[in-house]
Amino acid sequence: MRAKKAVGLGVTLFGLIALGGCSSEIGRVPLLDTDVSCLRKQMKSPMFLSFPLAANTCQRMTDNNFLLSTQKAHPLPLNLKDAPDLQKQAEEYGYSYTK
């Protein structure tokens, strides 16, 4: 009986975490969002983030955002292909990007 409750609790927690990953306030949705789509979504969200805040939320790291290896990680350039408006903002705020 205890094992069934533990499994049920685990499934519930996993479901809540999975649903929380779809929230626009969290940032990039794994495997679905590109840099451009993530930036646009963050800047259109109900919080209307500025470009620097949206970029910090969406930017990927060299360690794939793995929590335990953050000492040597650095941000990867944003891939802003076919988004000249975002390229202009990246230049304005000093973010590295690829065209």
Side-chain angles (χ1 to χ4, degrees):
M1 192 64 158
R2 264 188 172 167
K4 284 184 179 182
K5 286 185 180 181
V7 169
L9 181 61
V11 169
T12 302
L13 287 175
F14 178 77
L16 289 173
I17 291 170
L19 288 174
C22 297
S23 173
S24 64
E25 290 84 17
I26 291 178
R28 178 184 298 274
V29 177
L31 303 174
L32 298 177
D33 272 343
T34 63
D35 290 337
V36 173
S37 67
C38 183
L39 283 169
R40 293 200 192 285
K41 182 172 54 173
Q42 290 299 316
M43 293 169 75
K44 280 196 293 189
S45 74
M47 298 186 321
F48 297 107
L49 295 180
S50 64
F51 181 84
L53 289 174
N56 289 341
T57 303
C58 296
Q59 199 160 33
R60 294 173 293 136
M61 302 295 281
T62 55
D63 65 349
N64 294 321
N65 296 338
F66 186 64
L67 185 62
L68 300 176
S69 64
T70 56
Q71 291 178 351
K72 297 178 184 176
H74 60 279
L76 294 171
L78 293 165
N79 183 1
L80 301 179
K81 184 178 181 180
D82 299 328
D85 59 325
L86 293 176
Q87 291 175 9
K88 183 178 177 183
Q89 290 185 29
E91 287 177 13
E92 180 181 336
Y93 290 106
Y95 281 84
S96 61
Y97 67 94
T98 57
K99 294 181 181 183

